[in-house]
């Protein structure tokens, strides 16, 4: 995630928008069940897979200098969307 955040920051013009839409479990790793199942399945294929949570994604985006607007549910019980912008 850190590399993708760095690339997004480098590619965006000032004021540009980045959207991260993916399977994410909540910050307490309690669910939603389908997103957790997807993560578990990913780990079988890639033992280095990272558990995407709103806090993790937002932190990675902030670390490279992006301003995080919010994370919201996109597909209930499945995916979330995080919005961030590059400062103007």
């Amino acid at each position: 995630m850190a590399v993708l955040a760095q690339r997004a920051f480098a590619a965006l013009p000032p004021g540009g928008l980045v959207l991260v839409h993916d399977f994410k479990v909540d910050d307490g790793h309690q669910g939603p069940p389908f997103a957790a199942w997807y993560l578990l399945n990913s780990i079988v294929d890639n033992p280095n897979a990272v558990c995407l949570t709103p806090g993790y994604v937002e932190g990675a985006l902030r670390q490279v200098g992006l301003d995080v607007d919010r994370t919201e549910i996109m597909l209930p019980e499945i995916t979330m969307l995080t919005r961030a912008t590059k400062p103007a």
Side-chain angles (χ1 to χ4, degrees), residues 2-68:
V3 171
L4 293 175
Q6 291 170 348
R7 289 179 182 172
F9 186 87
L12 285 172
L17 174 68
V18 62
L19 302 171
V20 180
H21 178 226
D22 207 333
F23 295 90
K24 294 179 189 141
V25 297
D26 61 42
D27 287 320
H29 298 171
Q30 298 300 308
F34 187 84
W37 176 85
Y38 183 83
L39 170 65
L40 180 61
N41 194 38
S42 296
I43 292 172
V44 171
D45 290 335
N46 177 6
N48 297 319
V50 175
C51 180
L52 294 183
T53 65
Y56 176 78
V57 172
E58 291 174 8
L61 296 172
R62 284 188 181 105
Q63 189 171 2
V64 298
L66 293 164
D67 294 329
V68 175

Side-chain angles (χ1 to χ4, degrees), residues 22-25 32 34-36 38 73-80:
D22 207 333
F23 295 90
K24 294 179 189 141
V25 297
F34 187 84
Y38 183 83
I73 295 171
M74 279 299 287
L75 299 172
E77 300 295 316
I78 301 173
T79 64
M80 297 181 199

